[in-house]
Amino acid sequence: MVDRNGWGGDRPVLTGSRRSPPPSFVEQANVTDSGIYDEFEANWPNCWERAADLLSWNQPYETVLEDEDAPFYRWFAGGRLNAAENCVDRHLEAGRKTHTAIRWEGKHGDRKTYTYRDLYVAINEFAAALRNLGVEEDDVVTIYLPMIPELPIAMLACARIGAPHSVVFAGLSADALATRMDAADSEFLVTCDGYYRRGDAFNQKSKADNARLKLAQDVRTVVVDRLGEDLPHVLGDDEFDYHDLRDRFAGETVDPVPRDAEDMLFLMYTSGTTGEPKGVVHTTGGYLSHVAWTSHAVLDVKPEDTYWCAADIGWITGHSYIVYGPLALGTTTVMYEGTPDYPDRDRLWEIVDRNAVDIFYTAPTAIRAFMKWGEDYPERHDLSSLRLLGSVGEPISPRPWNWYYEHVGNGECPVVDTWWQTETGAVTISTLPGIDEMKPGAAGPGLPGIDVRVVDESGAEVEPGESGYLTIARPWPGMVRTLYDGDDRFRTEYWNQFSDPDRGEWWYASGDAARVDEDGYITVLGRVDDVINVSGRRLSTMEIESAITGVEGVAEAAVVGRSSEANGTDVQAYVSTERGYDDQGEVRGAIIDSIEAAIGPIARPADVLFTPELPKTRSGKIMRRLLEDVANDEDLGDTSALRNPEIVGEIQAEIRGE
Ligand code: 6R9
């Protein structure tokens, strides 16, 4: 039993009825030859040249894969390329200057269109400005921006001059920003004055200022003026206005720096099993090949499409499938600043309709909300431009899958349920929409060339239908290369558990539990580590617990995931207080504040339950597993081995509201 998050280890997971790819889709799909699986198998690892061929290389690579120093793999070694040149310049050269690269849908109906030429100009000017500020090749530039066009512009400007970016989600707190900048030794920051969320203006600069105060290093900061009069701000020492810089460097061009395929393209911090976030390192050649290939083969992106991934660029999904994948293929990528229900619950469908969006990619948490709001909202709009739908971030169960298929796709668009992670860089498990049958509730088989195995504790593959640990038994181009915090942590986090180095077997441990069926389709059950997935966002229970225990009066805390219809999982906190701190309202308020300060509002618990004690083993370990079962109203089994079994009944009664 490896399912720790209430996805129901031994409960049957209902998969809905199978569906074949609609013939109208198959006729035009990018990949239609079912022989591709065998072809990749027979030619592995050289099959991945197909991905690398989607890019333009300044210098051809010498080998596809070097595995002498596993698990530190090298892909396309010897090759040189620049990611920004691949995402922008080469499309201009191909005569597509006036083609729309980014279609930005801002709040209150603000809109902007960047052609590939516009994007080229913006990236060059900002790259010149960054150089002038002292950014050199390999310096990490932290970007702390919401969903405004300056975010992809800044990323690509960094890529152009060979400076890895580290984008920190705009909703994270000052502390979280400081931790990430400190860990990356980053001396450059791109942020903004503030941004709108729903109707309100949020102050981003004050968070950035607070983060800078916590850092030992000097930080040169570029501030994008997003709110103008709505949020006046002053620039201090070492702070520069983005638009002034653009004016100063107007018309300048900067030659793209040819990067080694294995040079770092970016860093992305993600929650791990300890309180310290992990700095996932992605490199240029493998990552870009893999995102371009999966955009082509899984999302079926074509240059003439209008493609929309409704994620935030602050997470990996937005990096791979709003910015790098679609732009590498020269398509039009839609970028949306707002929320799905503002000003009304048909906002997304209005955008699909008005822009004639061909491909739409979102998360199950959003799909569950659409389903709850009802089909009237999509029905108000003409969605017939849609050709393919995608889902990512969490397991999607058959009911929302079918709803999405029927009410958004009108039964005519394949739905790809794409499993992947910050660490995999790009999609690794999914059906190929022009070839494979879809089974609602199962993501699909490993993509061609990806060797997915579901194994037990000892690393032996489990029988179809049984649950086990999801592993990948071979390297792939988009994979994490190491953790910025060190190679040791990279080995322990991902490779020690299932690898057998004596036999030359390196199996990547994903941290997810899964089940595989007789056709090799994978149903992902959820995380097996101390990470919980709230609305598709990875949170570390340890990080939340340490924010809680930092509050005066808190004696102990445990945080677990609780199944939630809306969010997939909610955060459930259990807290015991020190003597004398009886005002639970006050402590609760301080706990929420502390979590928001340490991580951000996304980590706010759905419930904080106060208890005189936490259930513990005789050796004094908090029984989180049991607390998770209590939160999910599961059968608890025998609790007699606990030091304080009586407390469990009390907590249970409290949770059930008895
Ligand atoms: C891309 C992304 C990764 C975790 C992953 C898993 C969950 C993602 C999923 C899915 C079931 C899918 N996950 N896609 N679970 N079905 N199609 O979300 O990256 O933020 O690193 O999260 O998300 O638990 O391990 P990241």
mmCIF file of all heavy atoms in Angstrom, residues 270 315-317 391-396 417-423 429 443 510-512 524-527 533 536-538, ligand 1:
data_model
loop_
_atom_site.group_PDB
_atom_site.id
_atom_site.type_symbol
_atom_site.label_atom_id
_atom_site.label_comp_id
_atom_site.label_asym_id
_atom_site.label_seq_id
_atom_site.Cartn_x
_atom_site.Cartn_y
_atom_site.Cartn_z
ATOM 1 N N THR A 270 10.962 23.785 -6.817
ATOM 2 C CA THR A 270 9.727 23.049 -6.576
ATOM 3 C C THR A 270 9.794 22.423 -5.197
ATOM 4 O O THR A 270 10.879 22.259 -4.634
ATOM 5 C CB THR A 270 9.500 21.987 -7.674
ATOM 6 O OG1 THR A 270 8.216 21.379 -7.465
ATOM 7 C CG2 THR A 270 10.549 20.899 -7.668
ATOM 8 N N TRP A 315 4.994 28.376 -13.051
ATOM 9 C CA TRP A 315 5.206 26.955 -12.792
ATOM 10 C C TRP A 315 5.723 26.302 -14.067
ATOM 11 O O TRP A 315 5.699 26.894 -15.136
ATOM 12 C CB TRP A 315 3.897 26.271 -12.358
ATOM 13 C CG TRP A 315 3.177 26.978 -11.251
ATOM 14 C CD1 TRP A 315 2.001 27.666 -11.361
ATOM 15 C CD2 TRP A 315 3.567 27.078 -9.869
ATOM 16 N NE1 TRP A 315 1.645 28.173 -10.134
ATOM 17 C CE2 TRP A 315 2.575 27.831 -9.202
ATOM 18 C CE3 TRP A 315 4.647 26.596 -9.140
ATOM 19 C CZ2 TRP A 315 2.651 28.119 -7.842
ATOM 20 C CZ3 TRP A 315 4.714 26.879 -7.776
ATOM 21 C CH2 TRP A 315 3.722 27.627 -7.144
ATOM 22 N N ILE A 316 6.116 25.065 -13.950
ATOM 23 C CA ILE A 316 6.752 24.399 -15.099
ATOM 24 C C ILE A 316 5.801 24.299 -16.306
ATOM 25 O O ILE A 316 6.231 24.414 -17.448
ATOM 26 C CB ILE A 316 7.290 22.990 -14.715
ATOM 27 C CG1 ILE A 316 8.204 22.427 -15.814
ATOM 28 C CG2 ILE A 316 6.153 22.023 -14.434
ATOM 29 C CD1 ILE A 316 9.521 23.108 -15.971
ATOM 30 N N THR A 317 4.515 24.088 -16.057
ATOM 31 C CA THR A 317 3.592 23.938 -17.190
ATOM 32 C C THR A 317 3.650 25.158 -18.100
ATOM 33 O O THR A 317 3.670 25.041 -19.326
ATOM 34 C CB THR A 317 2.150 23.686 -16.699
ATOM 35 O OG1 THR A 317 2.164 22.537 -15.872
ATOM 36 C CG2 THR A 317 1.199 23.457 -17.856
ATOM 37 N N SER A 391 -5.199 18.078 -20.394
ATOM 38 C CA SER A 391 -5.316 18.191 -18.943
ATOM 39 C C SER A 391 -3.957 17.897 -18.330
ATOM 40 O O SER A 391 -3.231 17.020 -18.804
ATOM 41 C CB SER A 391 -6.364 17.183 -18.456
ATOM 42 O OG SER A 391 -6.375 17.122 -17.039
ATOM 43 N N VAL A 392 -3.610 18.611 -17.281
ATOM 44 C CA VAL A 392 -2.311 18.408 -16.609
ATOM 45 C C VAL A 392 -2.352 18.893 -15.168
ATOM 46 O O VAL A 392 -3.068 19.828 -14.852
ATOM 47 C CB VAL A 392 -1.172 19.167 -17.325
ATOM 48 C CG1 VAL A 392 -1.441 20.651 -17.424
ATOM 49 C CG2 VAL A 392 0.174 18.927 -16.631
ATOM 50 N N GLY A 393 -1.572 18.247 -14.326
ATOM 51 C CA GLY A 393 -1.344 18.777 -12.976
ATOM 52 C C GLY A 393 -1.833 17.883 -11.864
ATOM 53 O O GLY A 393 -1.293 17.909 -10.770
ATOM 54 N N GLU A 394 -2.860 17.103 -12.137
ATOM 55 C CA GLU A 394 -3.434 16.217 -11.135
ATOM 56 C C GLU A 394 -4.119 15.089 -11.878
ATOM 57 O O GLU A 394 -4.403 15.219 -13.067
ATOM 58 C CB GLU A 394 -4.582 16.906 -10.402
ATOM 59 C CG GLU A 394 -4.302 18.051 -9.535
ATOM 60 C CD GLU A 394 -5.664 18.690 -9.249
ATOM 61 O OE1 GLU A 394 -6.353 18.202 -8.340
ATOM 62 O OE2 GLU A 394 -6.041 19.620 -9.960
ATOM 63 N N PRO A 395 -4.480 14.042 -11.146
ATOM 64 C CA PRO A 395 -5.301 13.021 -11.788
ATOM 65 C C PRO A 395 -6.660 13.628 -12.160
ATOM 66 O O PRO A 395 -7.191 14.462 -11.431
ATOM 67 C CB PRO A 395 -5.488 11.965 -10.695
ATOM 68 C CG PRO A 395 -4.398 12.224 -9.700
ATOM 69 C CD PRO A 395 -4.152 13.700 -9.755
ATOM 70 N N ILE A 396 -7.185 13.232 -13.308
ATOM 71 C CA ILE A 396 -8.543 13.666 -13.663
ATOM 72 C C ILE A 396 -9.416 12.420 -13.675
ATOM 73 O O ILE A 396 -9.113 11.441 -14.357
ATOM 74 C CB ILE A 396 -8.585 14.454 -14.999
ATOM 75 C CG1 ILE A 396 -10.027 14.804 -15.362
ATOM 76 C CG2 ILE A 396 -7.896 13.726 -16.151
ATOM 77 C CD1 ILE A 396 -10.156 15.894 -16.421
ATOM 78 N N ASP A 417 -4.629 13.453 -21.427
ATOM 79 C CA ASP A 417 -4.363 13.581 -19.990
ATOM 80 C C ASP A 417 -2.865 13.362 -19.842
ATOM 81 O O ASP A 417 -2.372 12.245 -19.925
ATOM 82 C CB ASP A 417 -5.181 12.517 -19.252
ATOM 83 C CG ASP A 417 -4.874 12.452 -17.762
ATOM 84 O OD1 ASP A 417 -4.059 13.250 -17.267
ATOM 85 O OD2 ASP A 417 -5.455 11.570 -17.089
ATOM 86 N N THR A 418 -2.135 14.458 -19.662
ATOM 87 C CA THR A 418 -0.672 14.412 -19.750
ATOM 88 C C THR A 418 -0.043 14.372 -18.374
ATOM 89 O O THR A 418 -0.195 15.292 -17.590
ATOM 90 C CB THR A 418 -0.149 15.658 -20.495
ATOM 91 O OG1 THR A 418 -0.509 16.826 -19.752
ATOM 92 C CG2 THR A 418 -0.743 15.748 -21.894
ATOM 93 N N TRP A 419 0.660 13.303 -18.081
ATOM 94 C CA TRP A 419 1.385 13.219 -16.806
ATOM 95 C C TRP A 419 2.826 13.618 -17.007
ATOM 96 O O TRP A 419 3.512 13.090 -17.892
ATOM 97 C CB TRP A 419 1.337 11.799 -16.227
ATOM 98 C CG TRP A 419 2.092 11.711 -14.924
ATOM 99 C CD1 TRP A 419 1.577 11.904 -13.670
ATOM 100 C CD2 TRP A 419 3.498 11.438 -14.737
ATOM 101 N NE1 TRP A 419 2.573 11.772 -12.727
ATOM 102 C CE2 TRP A 419 3.766 11.496 -13.348
ATOM 103 C CE3 TRP A 419 4.552 11.171 -15.603
ATOM 104 C CZ2 TRP A 419 5.034 11.280 -12.803
ATOM 105 C CZ3 TRP A 419 5.826 10.969 -15.072
ATOM 106 C CH2 TRP A 419 6.053 11.011 -13.687
ATOM 107 N N TRP A 420 3.283 14.516 -16.179
ATOM 108 C CA TRP A 420 4.704 14.895 -16.161
ATOM 109 C C TRP A 420 4.952 15.720 -14.926
ATOM 110 O O TRP A 420 4.036 15.924 -14.119
ATOM 111 C CB TRP A 420 5.108 15.599 -17.460
ATOM 112 C CG TRP A 420 4.355 16.846 -17.804
ATOM 113 C CD1 TRP A 420 3.039 16.942 -18.177
ATOM 114 C CD2 TRP A 420 4.865 18.178 -17.824
ATOM 115 N NE1 TRP A 420 2.704 18.240 -18.430
ATOM 116 C CE2 TRP A 420 3.810 19.026 -18.216
ATOM 117 C CE3 TRP A 420 6.113 18.741 -17.562
ATOM 118 C CZ2 TRP A 420 3.962 20.405 -18.344
ATOM 119 C CZ3 TRP A 420 6.263 20.109 -17.695
ATOM 120 C CH2 TRP A 420 5.195 20.923 -18.080
ATOM 121 N N GLN A 421 6.175 16.185 -14.738
ATOM 122 C CA GLN A 421 6.566 16.896 -13.523
ATOM 123 C C GLN A 421 7.576 17.995 -13.847
ATOM 124 O O GLN A 421 8.180 17.972 -14.914
ATOM 125 C CB GLN A 421 7.273 15.928 -12.558
ATOM 126 C CG GLN A 421 6.514 14.678 -12.252
ATOM 127 C CD GLN A 421 7.320 13.759 -11.344
ATOM 128 O OE1 GLN A 421 8.381 13.283 -11.726
ATOM 129 N NE2 GLN A 421 6.813 13.523 -10.142
ATOM 130 N N THR A 422 7.788 18.874 -12.879
ATOM 131 C CA THR A 422 8.855 19.867 -13.016
ATOM 132 C C THR A 422 10.141 19.156 -13.438
ATOM 133 O O THR A 422 10.888 19.630 -14.298
ATOM 134 C CB THR A 422 9.081 20.587 -11.664
ATOM 135 O OG1 THR A 422 7.845 21.148 -11.243
ATOM 136 C CG2 THR A 422 10.126 21.675 -11.789
ATOM 137 N N GLU A 423 10.385 18.000 -12.830
ATOM 138 C CA GLU A 423 11.634 17.279 -13.073
ATOM 139 C C GLU A 423 11.676 16.598 -14.436
ATOM 140 O O GLU A 423 12.756 16.373 -14.973
ATOM 141 C CB GLU A 423 11.833 16.201 -12.000
ATOM 142 C CG GLU A 423 12.047 16.736 -10.592
ATOM 143 C CD GLU A 423 10.752 17.005 -9.832
ATOM 144 O OE1 GLU A 423 9.674 17.079 -10.480
ATOM 145 O OE2 GLU A 423 10.812 17.139 -8.604
ATOM 146 N N ILE A 429 3.993 10.852 -20.003
ATOM 147 C CA ILE A 429 2.931 9.852 -20.143
ATOM 148 C C ILE A 429 1.708 10.543 -20.726
ATOM 149 O O ILE A 429 1.261 11.570 -20.200
ATOM 150 C CB ILE A 429 2.531 9.239 -18.778
ATOM 151 C CG1 ILE A 429 3.724 8.540 -18.124
ATOM 152 C CG2 ILE A 429 1.354 8.270 -18.945
ATOM 153 C CD1 ILE A 429 3.415 7.979 -16.739
ATOM 154 N N ALA A 443 -4.057 8.163 -17.662
ATOM 155 C CA ALA A 443 -3.351 9.141 -18.495
ATOM 156 C C ALA A 443 -2.996 8.531 -19.849
ATOM 157 O O ALA A 443 -3.178 9.156 -20.887
ATOM 158 C CB ALA A 443 -2.101 9.637 -17.779
ATOM 159 N N SER A 510 9.600 8.862 -9.272
ATOM 160 C CA SER A 510 8.826 10.083 -9.515
ATOM 161 C C SER A 510 8.190 10.652 -8.256
ATOM 162 O O SER A 510 7.802 11.808 -8.233
ATOM 163 C CB SER A 510 7.708 9.788 -10.522
ATOM 164 O OG SER A 510 6.723 8.953 -9.902
ATOM 165 N N GLY A 511 8.036 9.804 -7.208
ATOM 166 C CA GLY A 511 7.311 10.266 -6.021
ATOM 167 C C GLY A 511 5.808 10.079 -6.129
ATOM 168 O O GLY A 511 5.067 10.443 -5.224
ATOM 169 N N ASP A 512 5.348 9.500 -7.251
ATOM 170 C CA ASP A 512 3.917 9.249 -7.423
ATOM 171 C C ASP A 512 3.611 7.755 -7.300
ATOM 172 O O ASP A 512 4.448 6.913 -7.631
ATOM 173 C CB ASP A 512 3.455 9.691 -8.818
ATOM 174 C CG ASP A 512 3.151 11.173 -8.899
ATOM 175 O OD1 ASP A 512 3.386 11.885 -7.907
ATOM 176 O OD2 ASP A 512 2.674 11.617 -9.954
ATOM 177 N N VAL A 524 -2.591 7.471 -12.504
ATOM 178 C CA VAL A 524 -1.779 8.045 -11.434
ATOM 179 C C VAL A 524 -2.670 8.235 -10.211
ATOM 180 O O VAL A 524 -3.793 8.729 -10.316
ATOM 181 C CB VAL A 524 -1.169 9.389 -11.888
ATOM 182 C CG1 VAL A 524 -0.376 10.025 -10.759
ATOM 183 C CG2 VAL A 524 -0.277 9.173 -13.102
ATOM 184 N N LEU A 525 -2.162 7.793 -9.051
ATOM 185 C CA LEU A 525 -2.994 7.821 -7.845
ATOM 186 C C LEU A 525 -2.678 8.994 -6.936
ATOM 187 O O LEU A 525 -3.475 9.350 -6.085
ATOM 188 C CB LEU A 525 -2.807 6.507 -7.077
ATOM 189 C CG LEU A 525 -3.145 5.246 -7.877
ATOM 190 C CD1 LEU A 525 -2.630 4.006 -7.181
ATOM 191 C CD2 LEU A 525 -4.646 5.149 -8.109
ATOM 192 N N GLY A 526 -1.529 9.592 -7.077
ATOM 193 C CA GLY A 526 -1.175 10.729 -6.228
ATOM 194 C C GLY A 526 0.225 10.566 -5.683
ATOM 195 O O GLY A 526 0.928 9.618 -6.011
ATOM 196 N N ARG A 527 0.645 11.489 -4.839
ATOM 197 C CA ARG A 527 2.007 11.491 -4.321
ATOM 198 C C ARG A 527 2.182 10.449 -3.218
ATOM 199 O O ARG A 527 1.260 10.181 -2.459
ATOM 200 C CB ARG A 527 2.349 12.869 -3.745
ATOM 201 C CG ARG A 527 2.217 14.016 -4.708
ATOM 202 C CD ARG A 527 3.293 14.123 -5.718
ATOM 203 N NE ARG A 527 4.621 14.098 -5.156
ATOM 204 C CZ ARG A 527 5.731 14.336 -5.880
ATOM 205 N NH1 ARG A 527 5.645 14.619 -7.171
ATOM 206 N NH2 ARG A 527 6.909 14.280 -5.333
ATOM 207 N N ASN A 533 -0.695 17.923 -3.382
ATOM 208 C CA ASN A 533 -0.980 18.568 -4.641
ATOM 209 C C ASN A 533 -2.330 19.273 -4.523
ATOM 210 O O ASN A 533 -3.374 18.660 -4.623
ATOM 211 C CB ASN A 533 -1.006 17.483 -5.725
ATOM 212 C CG ASN A 533 -1.127 18.052 -7.114
ATOM 213 O OD1 ASN A 533 -1.699 19.127 -7.309
ATOM 214 N ND2 ASN A 533 -0.609 17.337 -8.091
ATOM 215 N N GLY A 536 -3.337 21.288 -8.282
ATOM 216 C CA GLY A 536 -2.248 21.165 -9.239
ATOM 217 C C GLY A 536 -0.975 21.866 -8.804
ATOM 218 O O GLY A 536 -0.031 21.966 -9.570
ATOM 219 N N ARG A 537 -0.940 22.374 -7.578
ATOM 220 C CA ARG A 537 0.289 23.002 -7.099
ATOM 221 C C ARG A 537 0.939 22.163 -6.032
ATOM 222 O O ARG A 537 0.282 21.706 -5.111
ATOM 223 C CB ARG A 537 -0.011 24.380 -6.519
ATOM 224 C CG ARG A 537 0.045 25.402 -7.592
ATOM 225 C CD ARG A 537 -1.037 26.378 -7.436
ATOM 226 N NE ARG A 537 -1.180 27.123 -8.683
ATOM 227 C CZ ARG A 537 -1.754 28.301 -8.754
ATOM 228 N NH1 ARG A 537 -2.227 28.854 -7.674
ATOM 229 N NH2 ARG A 537 -1.873 28.897 -9.902
ATOM 230 N N ARG A 538 2.236 21.977 -6.173
ATOM 231 C CA ARG A 538 2.948 21.118 -5.247
ATOM 232 C C ARG A 538 3.334 21.879 -3.996
ATOM 233 O O ARG A 538 4.012 22.876 -4.059
ATOM 234 C CB ARG A 538 4.211 20.593 -5.917
ATOM 235 C CG ARG A 538 3.944 19.378 -6.723
ATOM 236 C CD ARG A 538 5.085 19.099 -7.638
ATOM 237 N NE ARG A 538 6.275 18.694 -6.920
ATOM 238 C CZ ARG A 538 7.335 18.171 -7.530
ATOM 239 N NH1 ARG A 538 7.339 18.010 -8.831
ATOM 240 N NH2 ARG A 538 8.382 17.814 -6.839
HETATM 241 C C1 6R9 B 1 3.385 19.354 -14.814
HETATM 242 C C2 6R9 B 1 3.237 19.472 -13.330
HETATM 243 C C3 6R9 B 1 3.962 17.181 -10.674
HETATM 244 C C4 6R9 B 1 2.977 16.284 -9.970
HETATM 245 C C5 6R9 B 1 3.137 14.841 -10.341
HETATM 246 C C6 6R9 B 1 1.735 14.303 -10.086
HETATM 247 C C7 6R9 B 1 0.846 15.448 -10.521
HETATM 248 C C8 6R9 B 1 0.789 16.064 -12.980
HETATM 249 C C9 6R9 B 1 -0.700 14.675 -13.732
HETATM 250 C C10 6R9 B 1 -0.516 14.438 -12.350
HETATM 251 C C11 6R9 B 1 -2.042 12.720 -12.426
HETATM 252 C C12 6R9 B 1 -1.651 13.868 -14.437
HETATM 253 N N1 6R9 B 1 0.409 15.316 -11.911
HETATM 254 N N2 6R9 B 1 0.116 15.693 -14.075
HETATM 255 N N3 6R9 B 1 -1.189 13.454 -11.701
HETATM 256 N N4 6R9 B 1 -2.291 12.892 -13.743
HETATM 257 N N5 6R9 B 1 -1.927 14.036 -15.752
HETATM 258 O O1 6R9 B 1 2.139 19.524 -12.831
HETATM 259 O O2 6R9 B 1 4.423 19.521 -12.617
HETATM 260 O O3 6R9 B 1 4.026 20.981 -10.591
HETATM 261 O O4 6R9 B 1 6.016 19.433 -10.773
HETATM 262 O O5 6R9 B 1 3.706 18.545 -10.381
HETATM 263 O O6 6R9 B 1 1.652 16.626 -10.360
HETATM 264 O O7 6R9 B 1 1.571 14.046 -8.726
HETATM 265 O O8 6R9 B 1 4.126 14.225 -9.542
HETATM 266 P P1 6R9 B 1 4.580 19.684 -11.046
#
